[in-house]
Amino acid sequence: MNKIFWPVLFALTLSACGTTGGTQATVEDRTGGSTTAATTATPAGGTESTGVSGAGVTGTALAGDASADPRKNPASPLSKRSVFFDFDSFVVKDEYRPMLEAHAGYLLSKRDARVILQGNADERGSREYNLALGQKRAEAVRKALAVLGVSDAQMEAISFGEEKPRNEADTEAAYAENRRTDVVYGDE
Amino acid sequence: MEEDDAMRRMTDETAASEVRSLQQAAARAAASKRQAEVAGVVGQHRDLISAKVRGNTRLPDNLTGNPEVRCLVKLLPTGEVQSVRVTKSSGNTAYDEAVVRAIEKSSPFPLPADRDARAAFVPELSFVHRPK
Amino acid sequence: MLRAVLLFPLLCLALLSASFSARAAMEIQVIGGAANKIAVAMVPFQAAPGQPVPALDEIAGNDLDRSGQFRRVDVSGTPPPRAPAQVNYSIWRSKGADALVIGQVTTLPGGRYEVRFYLLDVIKQAQLAGYSYTISASQWRATAHQIADIIYEKLTGTRGAFSSRIAYVQKQGKRYELRVADADGQNPRTVMRSGESVISPRFSPDGARIAYVSFEDKKPVVYVQSLQNGSRRKVAAFKGSNSAPAWAPDGRRLAVVLTRDDASQIYLINADGSGLTRLTRGGNLDTEPVFAPDGQTIYFTSDRGGSAQIYRVAASGGDPRRVTFSGSYNVSPAISPDGRYLAYISREEGRFSVVLHELASGQTRVLTDTARDESPSFAPNGQAVLYATVQGGRGILGTASLDGKTRARLSESGVDAREPAWGP
């Protein structure tokens, strides 16, 4: 009957450490002793802070300045970032060849550039299984780029599974939109 | 006339014997009718008691195979269960307990109103319980 | 002559009676059992006038109802007894009760309360349990769950799981919260919040830690967090995706799914992130590992046979064996604590349902009647399955008894709950 003398479980919510989209861990005390607040705040991921080395001045490309970054030029195949897949398929269709060749060319010319291939799946079924399906779509694009000569060190294939749907509707058209791999550069 | 007398006597005796055997046959018929009646009532109540106990039996989940529990139940003429004793365990305590409990919960048993039929149930009943 | 006529039937009757009483007692055969629920009368707990009477009997009664093992007896119109001595068993017997629960609450100084409760066997007219608790006002629910556990164990012979906890992820807009709640879904506490998705929470076997997959690093990473002080660490954050954590029964190792070397494959890793070893091989998709209770076998989902099916492999490695064969989509395996059952999600004609599969016989049973079921997990006593489903466009949590006959909805209204896991 000891259990009943435990203080009822409670949780302390700690304030977020400033970062938007950050993650907080909160504390639960089952010991009856004083609650020690331990927290881990993690900055919103993906956004790496760009440090300035030495006294150099770094210019920031203005939006719409196509000449500054060809990846942002709507006329360039580099601005195309999504590869869509058929239902239950992990084959990169031929129509994406020009786009992937352009990205391979860019990566080959900029050896310090890194690219993340983010696979996605539609929302039907198990989240973990969908994560693995999204991974297969990311791997398909990674392999296509590898065939075009891109080094593995420049690429990371990851999956969001069904966690980041582009279209949240419960329709076949929405599912098709979510079965895709996005090409995202590390500095974006 | 002696013959006549003798004749009459014989006829009388034959008649008497015929009456006697007719009466005996009627009695036998009545008795077997009664016996069938009692047996019918007994069978009917045996089914009623079985159904009541079955309805109160909650089989444990961990039953494997088709083990048998035997119990001896002492009954009052009112049908109330006085005692239940397991005479042959199933080997599964939970099942044995479930059967005893079902018998106890079924008290009072539905007994026939007919005294002779009721005599078949009192003071002791033997139960055999099988899961299937 | 006349005498003979009269005697004969009497003799027959005498013989008839003798034939019944002389031989052994008549035998009555009973085959099977028709009762599937224990009838319990739960009398509202009594308190002095003007003093708080929390719904202890209601909370405990709802626990018992969800299990599907009990039928509650109407207690209205009967003067409520406070102590066993006041119980008139014949009244409860005539109401069809197998068991009776009575209790009282006394207010103590210092904001504390004494709760006394008795569990009585109506058939045997005997006390089965009697307990007294001294509690604070914040412990009403915990006390009610304890009472339900005692009733459950005394009446079914199986320990109760009402004092256990569940974890789930709640989504509100773009915010995700990992929550730990009582087994009835009440009393939720948020243990982690994020602006990115969180999936696959799993309690450690001792319930002190929780593993989960967080997308806060813009990719799936496996974390293990202490539920005692909130501290956490990344256990698997390798190149590629890291997901599907599953605790080994000893709580020292986890199975995880990584893509660092290949497609999604299963690895074993120590809970501190050290000692990585690869378990499955091949270019197929292997995910959703789960340890059998003996720690020797791992069940998982794979598409190696051309469709999503459940396989098992020795935790020491070797060739996987296929476990599910019917249908083209069987995923998210869970193993009952006694190792007897496998629960998983099966797709049949576009409907995703929870299926219970007896491993020894291969017999299966669909436990749910909803169409978007996910994430089954067993109660710590193995008597129910917790799962997520969708109703009215919103994620809700439910439990189903192993016979599939009793289903209960857990979540509070207004929240979008998913990814449930039942913990100790």
Side-chain angles (χ1 to χ4, degrees), chain A residues 96-127:
Chain A
Y96 297 105
R97 195 175 173 83
M99 163 194 161
L100 293 178
E101 278 172 351
H103 283 290
Y106 182 85
L107 287 161
L108 286 167
S109 69
K110 285 192 182 281
R111 291 294 180 155
D112 59 339
R114 287 187 75 244
V115 74
I116 302 159
L117 308 163
Q118 301 172 339
N120 293 269
D122 67 46
E123 63 167 21
R124 290 169 294 184
S126 147
R127 288 177 186 274

XYZ file of all heavy atoms in Angstrom, chain A residues 96-127:
255
model
N 11.968 14.101 -63.753
C 12.766 14.839 -62.772
C 14.251 14.863 -63.126
O 15.059 15.433 -62.409
C 12.567 14.249 -61.361
C 11.128 14.378 -60.913
C 10.280 13.276 -60.898
C 10.619 15.622 -60.539
C 8.961 13.393 -60.526
C 9.291 15.758 -60.166
C 8.474 14.631 -60.169
O 7.163 14.770 -59.799
N 14.609 14.206 -64.243
C 16.014 14.115 -64.604
C 16.676 15.493 -64.784
O 17.728 15.741 -64.174
C 16.154 13.258 -65.868
C 17.574 12.815 -66.093
C 17.689 11.855 -67.285
N 19.107 11.613 -67.522
C 19.815 10.718 -66.849
N 19.226 9.972 -65.941
N 21.100 10.568 -67.086
N 16.054 16.410 -65.576
C 16.696 17.739 -65.743
C 16.913 18.445 -64.406
O 17.967 19.023 -64.159
C 15.706 18.508 -66.613
C 14.869 17.473 -67.281
C 14.815 16.308 -66.355
N 15.927 18.371 -63.560
C 16.016 19.026 -62.259
C 17.169 18.438 -61.431
O 17.983 19.177 -60.860
C 14.683 18.840 -61.534
C 14.751 19.111 -60.048
S 13.275 18.470 -59.230
C 13.888 18.387 -57.557
N 17.239 17.107 -61.382
C 18.279 16.478 -60.558
C 19.665 16.699 -61.160
O 20.645 16.864 -60.429
C 17.978 14.983 -60.366
C 16.731 14.719 -59.517
C 16.458 13.216 -59.417
C 16.881 15.319 -58.113
N 19.739 16.753 -62.498
C 21.031 17.038 -63.148
C 21.504 18.436 -62.771
O 22.693 18.654 -62.516
C 20.901 16.902 -64.664
C 21.010 15.450 -65.113
C 20.681 15.245 -66.592
O 20.209 16.207 -67.246
O 20.880 14.106 -67.065
N 20.576 19.372 -62.707
C 20.934 20.745 -62.337
C 21.470 20.783 -60.908
O 22.501 21.411 -60.627
C 19.717 21.657 -62.476
N 20.797 20.074 -60.000
C 21.250 20.074 -58.598
C 22.590 19.361 -58.468
O 23.470 19.805 -57.716
C 20.195 19.407 -57.701
C 19.025 20.302 -57.431
N 19.103 21.421 -56.635
C 17.737 20.251 -57.876
C 17.917 22.022 -56.590
N 17.067 21.329 -57.342
N 22.760 18.287 -59.231
C 24.040 17.569 -59.189
C 25.158 18.500 -59.671
O 26.233 18.574 -59.051
C 23.969 16.314 -60.041
N 24.872 19.243 -60.737
C 25.859 20.174 -61.258
C 26.233 21.221 -60.225
O 27.414 21.535 -60.014
N 25.229 21.736 -59.556
C 25.470 22.757 -58.540
C 26.338 22.192 -57.418
O 27.315 22.809 -56.978
C 24.134 23.248 -57.993
C 24.282 24.348 -56.953
C 24.407 25.681 -57.314
C 24.287 24.035 -55.595
C 24.543 26.679 -56.365
C 24.422 25.020 -54.625
C 24.550 26.339 -55.017
O 24.690 27.321 -54.077
N 26.002 20.985 -56.959
C 26.729 20.366 -55.841
C 28.168 20.015 -56.254
O 29.096 20.121 -55.448
C 25.987 19.120 -55.350
C 24.700 19.420 -54.570
C 23.801 18.200 -54.514
C 25.021 19.918 -53.156
N 28.323 19.627 -57.513
C 29.672 19.291 -57.983
C 30.532 20.562 -58.079
O 31.745 20.525 -57.859
C 29.606 18.584 -59.340
C 29.118 17.130 -59.274
C 28.780 16.603 -60.673
C 30.169 16.240 -58.608
N 29.867 21.686 -58.381
C 30.622 22.937 -58.512
C 30.878 23.569 -57.146
O 31.793 24.351 -56.975
C 29.866 23.914 -59.411
O 28.691 24.353 -58.746
N 30.065 23.267 -56.191
C 30.239 23.839 -54.838
C 30.415 22.686 -53.854
O 29.449 22.173 -53.303
C 29.020 24.689 -54.457
C 28.957 26.027 -55.155
C 27.889 26.884 -54.487
C 27.727 28.239 -55.178
N 28.736 29.230 -54.825
N 31.665 22.327 -53.646
C 31.953 21.149 -52.818
C 31.621 21.356 -51.348
O 31.545 20.387 -50.596
C 33.424 20.739 -52.975
C 33.725 20.190 -54.372
C 32.984 18.878 -54.608
N 33.260 18.323 -55.929
C 33.168 17.029 -56.229
N 32.790 16.167 -55.320
N 33.433 16.622 -57.440
N 31.460 22.606 -50.922
C 31.093 22.836 -49.519
C 29.570 22.871 -49.335
O 29.084 22.957 -48.215
C 31.736 24.122 -48.987
C 31.312 25.337 -49.800
O 30.878 25.154 -50.969
O 31.393 26.460 -49.270
N 28.845 22.828 -50.437
C 27.381 22.842 -50.313
C 26.883 21.462 -49.832
O 27.443 20.433 -50.210
C 26.748 23.188 -51.647
N 25.895 21.521 -49.000
C 25.310 20.260 -48.515
C 23.823 20.255 -48.817
O 23.177 21.303 -48.775
C 25.527 20.099 -47.007
C 26.975 19.762 -46.636
C 27.113 19.440 -45.159
N 26.596 18.126 -44.834
C 25.550 17.920 -44.042
N 24.900 18.924 -43.510
N 25.150 16.697 -43.796
N 23.312 19.092 -49.074
C 21.895 19.023 -49.412
C 21.223 17.955 -48.550
O 21.808 16.911 -48.248
C 21.713 18.749 -50.924
C 22.046 17.320 -51.290
C 20.322 19.111 -51.383
N 20.030 18.286 -48.092
C 19.243 17.333 -47.308
C 18.062 16.897 -48.164
O 17.341 17.739 -48.710
C 18.750 17.960 -45.992
C 19.953 18.452 -45.165
C 17.958 16.947 -45.171
C 19.576 19.497 -44.160
N 17.919 15.610 -48.312
C 16.821 15.067 -49.103
C 15.763 14.589 -48.123
O 15.990 13.654 -47.357
C 17.344 13.938 -49.982
C 18.573 14.402 -50.792
C 19.363 13.248 -51.341
C 18.156 15.387 -51.876
N 14.638 15.305 -48.101
C 13.605 15.059 -47.091
C 12.460 14.257 -47.707
O 11.687 14.781 -48.494
C 13.074 16.391 -46.543
C 14.166 17.254 -45.913
C 13.667 18.637 -45.559
O 12.666 19.106 -46.093
N 14.373 19.296 -44.641
N 12.376 12.995 -47.331
C 11.316 12.146 -47.861
C 10.026 12.323 -47.073
O 10.044 12.628 -45.881
N 8.916 12.134 -47.758
C 7.604 12.268 -47.118
C 6.678 11.149 -47.581
O 6.916 10.529 -48.613
C 6.974 13.620 -47.473
C 7.737 14.789 -46.887
O 7.469 15.244 -45.785
N 8.733 15.271 -47.625
N 5.629 10.942 -46.782
C 4.656 9.898 -47.114
C 3.263 10.436 -46.856
O 3.092 11.413 -46.116
C 4.905 8.656 -46.260
N 2.284 9.795 -47.456
C 0.915 10.221 -47.152
C 0.539 9.690 -45.773
O 1.273 8.923 -45.154
C -0.065 9.830 -48.250
C -0.254 8.333 -48.380
O -0.419 7.667 -47.345
O -0.247 7.836 -49.525
N -0.597 10.121 -45.277
C -0.887 9.933 -43.855
C -1.539 8.606 -43.518
O -1.826 8.332 -42.367
C -1.799 11.061 -43.370
C -3.149 11.039 -44.083
C -4.169 11.934 -43.391
O -3.761 12.825 -42.656
O -5.372 11.699 -43.606
N -1.782 7.772 -44.514
C -2.480 6.531 -44.197
C -1.546 5.512 -43.550
O -0.435 5.300 -44.045
C -3.112 5.962 -45.468
C -4.283 6.800 -45.943
C -4.719 6.406 -47.317
N -3.690 6.708 -48.317
C -3.864 6.530 -49.621
N -4.994 6.062 -50.063
N -2.902 6.827 -50.466
N -1.989 4.914 -42.492
C -1.210 3.836 -41.866
C -0.283 4.321 -40.763
O -0.369 5.445 -40.299
N 0.597 3.415 -40.389
C 1.479 3.622 -39.234
C 2.476 4.759 -39.459
O 3.063 4.876 -40.540
C 2.229 2.309 -38.990
O 3.523 2.540 -38.505
N 2.673 5.593 -38.446
C 3.609 6.719 -38.578
C 5.039 6.237 -38.776
O 5.785 6.806 -39.571
C 3.536 7.614 -37.333
C 2.257 8.407 -37.271
C 2.137 9.257 -36.007
N 0.812 9.860 -35.985
C 0.508 11.009 -36.588
N 1.446 11.694 -37.215
N -0.718 11.471 -36.554
